[in-house]
């Protein structure tokens, strides 16, 4: 589940994400998440970005307000 919280293809700046229409992004676990901007908010799957653009040496961190469950786990739990 933790690797589903890491974007696999570089970094996404909050300002750029805020202007996005819904877009599928590939996470580190290889599964898809939906990233979208909405009225000065950024939403990934069903979680909101609540702290943005925390920089570290090799990545950028955005804090979300929930846990993102990978689609494969959701599907397995539903069957």
């Amino acid at each position: 589940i933790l690797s589903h919280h890491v974007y696999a293809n570089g970094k996404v700046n909050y300002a750029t994400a805020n202007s996005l229409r819904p877009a599928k992004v590939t996470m580190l676990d290889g599964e898809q998440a939906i990233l979208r901007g909405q009225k000065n908010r950024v939403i990934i799957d069903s979680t909101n970005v609540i702290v943005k653009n925390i920089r570290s040496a090799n990545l950028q961190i955005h804090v979300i307000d929930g846990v993102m469950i990978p689609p494969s786990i959701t599907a397995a739990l539903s069957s």
Side-chain angles (χ1 to χ4, degrees):
I1 290 178
L2 184 58
S3 62
H4 192 65
H5 290 74
V6 180
Y7 178 55
N9 299 315
K11 64 181 179 180
V12 176
N13 182 281
Y14 184 88
T16 302
N18 190 40
S19 64
L20 284 178
R21 293 185 178 143
K24 289 183 179 179
V25 293
T26 303
M27 306 309 281
L28 189 60
D29 63 358
E31 298 204 49
Q32 302 285 306
I34 304 296
L35 178 66
R36 66 185 185 279
Q38 181 180 12
K39 296 182 181 180
N40 208 27
R41 292 180 12 202
V42 174
I43 301 164
I44 185 160
D45 284 344
S46 61
T47 64
N48 297 293
V49 174
I50 57 173
V51 180
K52 59 186 178 185
N53 299 335
I54 301 168
R55 293 192 175 108
S56 75
N58 62 348
L59 54 95
Q60 191 163 331
I61 301 166
H62 306 291
V63 179
I64 58 175
D65 64 355
V67 176
M68 296 170 27
I69 305 297
S72 63
I73 293 177
T74 302
L77 293 173
S78 297
S79 57

